[in-house]
Amino acid sequence: QVQLVESGGGLVQPGGSLRLSCAASGSIFNIGNMGWYRQAPGKERELVAMITSDGIANYADSAKGRFTISRDGAKNTVYLQMNSLKAEDTAVYLCYGWVVAFSTWRGVDYWGKGTLVTVSS
């Protein structure tokens, strides 16, 4: 069984910073793309940033210049450094990973349960 667990969310003032982490655990053979999505109340889930196993990153326009995604392959962990946070960044941030587990020998999409980020003064 594979699990993705996020951490690092919380309350921050506008202009502040947060660093989210997501660790994948379980019987993992390989991880491909990892990324972060977010879902604000009453809105659809949207991609924030994605990173390949080779470290190539892509960002939503709303995240470019403010957020940085990175990963540690040895730790099966993906990070999201968020700077210059705005009120509109308030959302539940969900971790995503395309994981090949020893139990399945095929790639499957896995999701974390999410961590809440609230940007407010």
Side-chain angles (χ1 to χ4, degrees):
Q1 186 73 9
V2 174
Q3 287 187 319
L4 273 62
V5 179
E6 303 97 336
S7 61
L11 174 64
V12 63
Q13 292 186 343
S17 298
L18 278 178
R19 188 188 193 215
L20 305 183
S21 299
C22 171
S25 63
S27 184
I28 297 171
F29 171 71
N30 186 43
I31 303 178
N33 290 356
M34 297 188 80
W36 292 93
Y37 287 71
R38 68 186 182 187
Q39 187 162 18
K43 295 188 177 181
E44 294 187 353
R45 186 177 297 184
E46 63 175 0
L47 174 68
V48 177
M50 189 72 68
I51 187 167
T52 70
S53 56
D54 295 329
I56 298 172
N58 286 287
Y59 298 91
D61 287 343
S62 59
K64 288 179 181 177
R66 300 188 300 127
F67 296 179
T68 302
I69 189 170
S70 61
R71 67 190 286 175
D72 184 332
K75 295 181 179 180
N76 289 334
T77 299
V78 64
Y79 306 95
L80 185 68
Q81 177 67 42
M82 304 186 294
N83 299 326
S84 302
L85 283 161
K86 306 174 183 180
E88 50 263 44
D89 295 318
T90 296
V92 174
Y93 284 71
L94 301 109
C95 176
Y96 161 84
W98 186 87
V99 181
V100 179
F102 283 107
S103 59
T104 62
W105 290 109
R106 61 183 179 91
V108 176
D109 295 333
Y110 286 90
W111 294 89
K113 293 182 178 180
T115 185
L116 177 63
V117 172
T118 303
V119 184
S120 175
S121 55

